[in-house]
Each structure stands twice: as C-alpha cells, then as structure tokens.
Amino acid sequence: MSTVDQYHAVATAIAKAAEDAGRRPSDVTLVAVSKTHDAEAILPVIEAGQRVFGENKVQEAKAKWPALKERFPDIELHLIGPLQSNKAADAVALFDVIESVDREKIARELAKEMKKQERAPRLYVQVNTGEEEQKAGIPPKEAASFVARCREEHGLAIEGLMCIPPADENPGPHFALLAKIAGECGLEKLSMGMSGDFETAIQFGATSVRVGSAIFGARDYG
Ligand SMILES: *Cc1c(COP(=O)(O)O)cnc(C)c1O
C-alpha cells in the first residue's frame, strides 16, 4: 500500500474504533507522526487532507516544517518528544501544541518564552504511567500537583495529558490511569495510542492518537 492508502486505512480504523466505542469519529484527532520522514514523504499525506502532524525532535522539525507550514498555513504541529530547556524558544516559535511538558524547569521556560514571543502553543503534561526510569513524564502520583503548579505558579493553561505505555505491557490499564488522572485534574484532552494500540486507546477515551509507522512505514534511523 502507498503511504496515502495507509493514511486512509488508519483514518478509517480510527473512525470505526470511535463508533464501536459509542463516540463520534470527529472527537478523535489523528496526529500523523512524521519523525524521520522528509518533506517528500510527508507531502502526499498533506495533499490527501491531513493537517495535524507530530514530531519528536525540535531540531528535526525546524529543518523541515517551516517551509511546509508556509505552503499549508492551517497545519497544526505537535511536539511529542522530550523538550530541553535550551530548545524552549524554538519549540514555542514552531509548535502549535507541546505534548511533553514534564518538569518544573520546562514549565518555567515555556511560560517565559510564551510571554516573550506572545505565542501560546497549547500544552499537555506527559505522565510516565509505567514509572519507567528511562522514560520522560511526571510520575502518576505527582501529576495532579504538577498540573496545579503549572497553572498557579506559571500561569500555563494545561489542556490535556499524554502518555506512552511501556512497550511490553497491555496498554489498557495505562490508558485508564491517564483518563482517571485527567478527570481528577478537570482535563478533557487525552493524547494516547500509537500504531499498535490506537484502537484500544480510543476505547479508553483518547481524544488524539499519535500514529507514525502505520502511515509512513517503518522508520530508518540510519
Ligand atoms: C514515534 C512516536 C509515536 C508514533 O509511534 P508509531 O508506533 O510509529 O505509531 C507516537 N508517540 C510518540 C511520543 C512517539 O515518539
């Protein structure tokens, strides 16, 4: 299948999973994860109508997205990878949504840059639902107080939560945990589910799913 065929198949599967869960297909946003793929690979998917894309590295996104955003001004770009504080300025300038707010220092830097640039990307807090040492994100027990501090101390309007469940576990309980924490924080947006588990995530209430390889094929990290 071509990339565009794969894109249509994923979009159809998302709509079906939403309907099966008694939800409206329009309530689930597809974030097409284009990391490692160049503009040439991404363009057909944009031309097929996709407008929301995810990248995990600020440098890589900066190299390929400004030109594409100029051609297609309604593109919405999500940062889904860990953010370093020295990249906060670039991230605020380029991204429309930053899904990986995961520590105090980043919250502070983002607040500062947003004020300076008069630009307000929408923000998600990443939660490390599996409490994995190598993975970014706030531990589940600290998530509610971190969201409160983002709001009260840094004046940040957090819109939702994001998680990446451990690769070797049933993702369902992780999605359920993220939904529970979001409920406790009064947050409506849940970014969860990737190529292998987006249908499950939709059952558990995902409002956006981040799908890469099922659309663009396997990644070559060279
Ligand atoms: C790469 C990535 C994805 C997409 O993963 P696939 O399995 O290729 O769909 C989703 N979320 C994050 C945070 C990623 O880094």
Side-chain angles (χ1 to χ4, degrees), residues 15 39 151 158 161 179 183 209:
R151 289 168 168 158
I158 301 297
L161 301 179
V209 293

Side-chain angles (χ1 to χ4, degrees), residues 96-186:
D96 304 291
V97 181
I98 296 173
E99 299 198 13
S100 48
V101 181
D102 65 354
R103 57 196 189 279
E104 198 76 36
K105 191 173 179 199
I106 288 298
R108 197 178 321 119
E109 284 300 312
L110 288 173
K112 194 177 92 190
E113 280 304 324
M114 287 164 68
K115 205 167 181 186
K116 193 161 135 195
Q117 298 184 30
E118 296 183 0
R119 223 185 106 77
R122 285 143 50 206
L123 304 174
Y124 286 53
V125 165
Q126 182 173 350
V127 181
N128 187 356
T129 58
E131 305 193 53
E132 293 171 281
E133 207 152 304
Q134 80 285 6
K135 204 165 269 175
I138 298 278
K141 283 193 199 67
E142 294 164 29
S145 64
F146 180 71
V147 169
R149 278 204 308 283
C150 283
R151 289 168 168 158
E152 289 154 20
E153 286 176 30
H154 303 293
L156 296 173
I158 301 297
E159 177 167 294
L161 301 179
M162 183 268 254
C163 77
I164 311 167
D168 55 354
E169 284 182 32
N170 173 9
H174 294 274
F175 297 150
L177 176 60
L178 197 71
K180 178 171 166 276
I181 297 169
E184 288 163 4
C185 299

Side-chain angles (χ1 to χ4, degrees), residues 31-37 54-57 79-82 99-100 126 162-164 191-198 209-219 221:
V31 180
V33 177
S34 49
K35 65 189 188 199
T36 78
H37 300 286
E55 290 281 344
N56 69 334
K57 294 204 171 91
L79 177 63
I80 60 172
E99 299 198 13
S100 48
Q126 182 173 350
M162 183 268 254
C163 77
I164 311 167
S191 171
M192 54 191 200
M194 322 203 310
S195 290
D197 55 17
F198 66 84
V209 293
R210 311 177 307 268
V211 180
S213 47
I215 297 170
F216 293 103
R219 284 179 289 272
Y221 287 97

